[in-house]
Amino acid sequence: MNIAFFLSLKKDIVYLKFDSTMRQALERMEYHRYASVPIIDDDGKYVGVLTEGDLLWKMKNTPGLTFTNTEKIHLDEIERHTQYNPVSVNAQMENLIARAAEQNFVPVVDDNEIFIGIVQRSELIRYCVECLNPSYFTSTKIDDQISANTAMTSTVWPRLQSKRHLFAFPAY
């Protein structure tokens, strides 16, 4: 199986440029309701992930820092406490799953270390559930709950449904 099957492309996700300010990060994360976002440099290379915790630690450890003057703080001035290690788009699925066990999402880079997107842990779990029990997500009650998560329903689920016959899992 190929990692690209689960990939949410860069154009479809929220990320920050490395030269962004703390205020831009706060506003973007609040607007999209994300607790963490990938950071890329001017060349499109993956730099790391900024988390709410990183922002809170910066606020706590910077005397006099207010929301208004966060526009003067650039992301390179904010220490990142959690490392979200990327995988190559050519990596083995085992590597992706191992990273997803520790990270909510896994950044994916190409052969030139250019950031191309992320794989969300929830997509991997959903795929595994579907393989173990194909009828699990077909009940009305479950479908109603899933439709609330429009990102999953509109992007990943149709891809999984259309390709599930390509992948065989052993019956238990």
Side-chain angles (χ1 to χ4, degrees):
M1 181 177 298
N2 191 312
I3 288 175
F5 179 76
F6 298 101
L7 186 65
S8 295
L9 296 174
K10 177 175 135 180
K11 70 179 183 70
D12 298 325
I13 64 168
V14 174
Y15 60 90
L16 296 166
K17 292 283 196 153
F18 193 55
D19 62 355
S20 298
T21 66
M22 184 175 180
R23 183 168 181 161
Q24 290 169 324
L26 286 163
E27 289 175 348
R28 197 138 200 225
M29 290 170 76
E30 178 187 30
Y31 178 80
H32 293 283
R33 304 190 70 172
Y34 289 144
S36 56
V37 292
I39 304 169
I40 62 172
D41 68 15
D42 289 337
D43 297 325
K45 294 189 178 201
Y46 173 75
V47 174
V49 170
L50 184 70
T51 68
E52 287 178 328
D54 299 333
L55 296 170
L56 289 170
W57 280 111
K58 180 65 176 175
M59 302 260 325
K60 178 190 176 291
N61 294 326
T62 307
L65 183 61
T66 65
F67 180 73
T68 304
N69 59 15
T70 57
E71 63 193 24
K72 297 175 184 167
I73 307 287
H74 287 88
L75 295 188
D76 63 346
E77 300 173 59
I78 301 172
E79 181 181 352
R80 292 188 306 277
H81 295 85
T82 305
Q83 294 299 320
Y84 277 61
N85 296 315
V87 296
S88 166
V89 70
N90 300 314
Q92 297 295 314
M93 283 300 297
E94 292 83 0
N95 295 341
L96 174 66
I97 293 169
R99 295 266 168 81
E102 299 176 10
Q103 304 171 183
N104 287 331
F105 65 87
V106 180
V108 181
V109 296
D110 69 9
D111 294 336
N112 297 315
E113 300 298 316
I114 301 296
F115 176 74
I116 59 173
I118 63 171
V119 173
Q120 296 175 350
R121 176 172 41 198
S122 60
E123 293 179 19
L124 296 171
I125 293 170
R126 183 180 180 101
Y127 177 78
C128 291
V129 169
E130 174 65 21
C131 288
L132 293 171
N133 183 354
S135 65
Y136 184 81
F137 291 111
T138 59
S139 76
T140 305
K141 181 179 178 185
I142 297 292
D143 283 344
D144 289 345
Q145 293 171 354
I146 292 169
S147 67
N149 183 352
T150 56
M152 175 66 73
T153 304
S154 64
T155 60
V156 176
W157 188 240
R159 289 188 295 177
L160 293 178
Q161 286 294 84
S162 67
K163 294 184 170 113
R164 80 175 226 230
H165 68 281
L166 299 174
F167 308 99
F169 276 78
Y172 294 99

